[in-house]
Amino acid sequence: MSTGLRSGQVAEAAGVNIQTLRYYERRGLLAEPERSSGGHRLYGEDAITALRVIKAAQRLGFTLEEVAELLEAGRHRHGRPVAGLQQRAAAKLAEVDAKIADLTTIRTALTAAVDAGCDDLTVCASSACCPIPFTDLAEENRHAGPCC
């Protein structure tokens, strides 16, 4: 390959920095590019597409390891659909739903702590009515007596 895009051009077109580009190369997410006679990396247009795919998958919550697995599965499909993306996307969706449920629980506890005027973790931890789940206090004792 005597012509191609240099690192800076690829990075700019894909919206990443050069260090990210090289890191993805080291991780095997991007094929090692050809080199010019002067030793400069020369990439094809497909590198820009690959970088955009990697970044989009990351925005969807996939780790770089998961992205690598998806890319590897795609390389071995030989024109046939490969099971993987649907299954992995469904699993990622379940993971996101679980995180949302956890965050909703955390938000509810924090809102209750703010509404209750909790201002001192030590005092709250020893108060049966504190809404922050420090211990497994019996539910009927959580709202008895003065609060923090």
Side-chain angles (χ1 to χ4, degrees), residues 29 74 79 81 120 123 139-140 142 146:
L29 296 167
D120 184 318
V123 172
E139 189 61 35
E140 63 271 6
R142 284 181 99 51

Side-chain angles (χ1 to χ4, degrees), residues 16-36:
V16 301
N17 62 48
I18 293 174
Q19 290 79 18
T20 300
L21 177 68
R22 295 211 176 117
Y23 178 69
Y24 291 168
E25 268 182 49
R26 287 192 306 274
R27 293 278 312 252
L29 296 167
L30 283 177
E32 192 171 320
E34 298 285 328
R35 299 278 182 157
S36 70

Side-chain angles (χ1 to χ4, degrees), residues 3-85:
T3 63
L5 301 169
R6 305 242 329 237
S7 299
Q9 294 170 305
V10 172
E12 183 177 345
V16 301
N17 62 48
I18 293 174
Q19 290 79 18
T20 300
L21 177 68
R22 295 211 176 117
Y23 178 69
Y24 291 168
E25 268 182 49
R26 287 192 306 274
R27 293 278 312 252
L29 296 167
L30 283 177
E32 192 171 320
E34 298 285 328
R35 299 278 182 157
S36 70
S37 57
H40 297 285
R41 289 174 166 87
L42 297 174
Y43 297 87
E45 292 284 335
D46 58 333
I48 296 169
T49 302
L51 285 167
R52 288 178 179 159
V53 166
I54 293 166
K55 296 310 286 182
Q58 283 185 298
R59 283 191 299 277
L60 291 173
F62 290 99
T63 65
L64 283 181
E65 186 174 322
E66 292 168 331
V67 172
E69 291 169 3
L70 287 167
L71 291 173
E72 188 62 26
R75 289 183 190 120
H76 294 293
R77 68 179 182 190
H78 302 295
R80 293 175 283 129
V82 174
L85 180 58

Side-chain angles (χ1 to χ4, degrees), residues 90-124:
K92 187 58 66 178
L93 183 57
E95 186 181 308
V96 167
D97 286 341
K99 286 180 183 179
I100 289 171
D102 288 345
L103 288 171
T104 300
T105 300
I106 292 168
R107 185 183 197 291
T108 300
L110 288 172
T111 299
V114 168
D115 291 347
C118 295
D119 200 31
D120 184 318
L121 287 176
T122 305
V123 172
C124 284

